[in-house]
Amino acid sequence: MHHHEKVAFLKFFITYFVSVAILILVAGFFYFEQTKGYFLRMEEFSLIKYARHIKMGERFEEMPGYHYRFLENEDKRIDIRNFSSDDNEFTKIIPMEHGSRYLQVFKSKHSYDEKLFYLKKRIIAVQLLLLLVFAFLSYKLAKNALKPLQESISTLDKFAKDLIHDLNTPVTSIKLNMKLLEKIPECKDNKVVERLNKSVHNISALHENLNILLQEETFQMENLNLCALVNEVVEIQQELYTTIRFEVDCTNFRVKLNANATKQILQNIISNACKYNSKNGYVKIYTKNRALYIEDSGKGIKEPQKIFERSYSAEHSTGIGLDIVRRLAFAMDIKVEVTTSDKGSCFILHFV
């Protein structure tokens, strides 16, 4: 399952499951409150029944948990609906005949607390069972909902792979002919040829970007020396940007990554650092605290918060390079940080 498919699956699953879970929990709460109210009414009714036996003077065996006492009438008005409780027992006050005194009856809360405890256990058990059932249903529904998306993505991936594969031959042919053209004495130091060479390099880089991006879900991670890749990329860029001064302070920085994807990230960032640099500027590359710094002396970035968006593109840019950097970095757990000012920009790659 591709990363975007996983995100879509999780969003659907979480949305559906959380919605149903909230309904189950709310329904359980209201059922508990309703049943609790019924239990309280039954406790009050049992006190009234107990008081009736006492008022009628009937002989009966002492009921466990019950007891009573008489209260003298102190001209206090007592609501006939009175019913109260404390931590240990329920109580109700009932007037006797002729209003001379009141009967106060008590009942222990032990049996009520037990019934309430078992009610909670039963509700929680039912809710957990329902949550498990709906979690399974959510999983099935999410899988079924993703099928059309997966089919569309599969078709697009196949088309893109076929297209990139078909582009291999013309791109390779252009690069070879460009090298042959550079060997002609009349074409050396020719501005037109230099611009053509950079355009060919851009086409080749775009082709490589797309090729690497299609392998995003099948990266093979390996322990490699990042500095070797940095030097390899810098060597390529030095041939294209002869006026840029490169300062590399990186000797041995080992990290677990995919070599091709990492090289493409470095290629895109360093290429941009050269392309948008000032005349006779510099590009500094160094390591510090498990991070790689790529610093340039350009004019800075106007909207650094937008540079990783696919829709954003600077002058003479396709806008795809940094979007691919973001996606490849995410796939390999690399955090990319950007700082910028009018004196230049700095890309910081944080590695785990």
Side-chain angles (χ1 to χ4, degrees), residues 220-237:
Q220 296 296 321
M221 309 293 275
E222 57 182 317
N223 197 307
L224 51 85
N225 184 4
L226 184 65
C227 297
L229 293 178
V230 170
N231 290 326
E232 189 178 336
V233 172
V234 167
E235 187 178 340
I236 295 170
Q237 295 301 317

Side-chain angles (χ1 to χ4, degrees), residues 197-199 201-202 233-246 267 270-277 281 283:
N197 189 28
K198 286 184 180 179
S199 296
H201 174 74
N202 289 338
V233 172
V234 167
E235 187 178 340
I236 295 170
Q237 295 301 317
Q238 278 179 324
E239 294 178 2
L240 295 169
Y241 300 94
T242 54
T243 62
I244 300 294
R245 186 176 79 258
F246 289 87
Q267 180 81 19
I270 296 173
S271 174
N272 281 350
C274 296
K275 189 185 299 183
Y276 303 110
N277 214 318
V283 174

Side-chain angles (χ1 to χ4, degrees), residues 32 35-36 39 109-125:
F32 173 78
T35 308
K36 180 182 174 182
F39 287 164
K109 290 181 70 177
H110 179 70
S111 61
Y112 168 79
D113 289 339
E114 279 190 345
K115 286 190 288 185
L116 214 57
F117 173 73
Y118 287 117
L119 174 65
K120 287 178 182 178
K121 283 179 64 176
R122 190 165 65 251
I123 290 174
I124 290 171

Side-chain angles (χ1 to χ4, degrees), residues 229 232-233 236 258-268:
L229 293 178
E232 189 178 336
V233 172
I236 295 170
N258 177 272
N260 291 333
T262 306
K263 184 178 176 181
Q264 203 58 46
I265 289 174
L266 296 171
Q267 180 81 19
N268 290 350

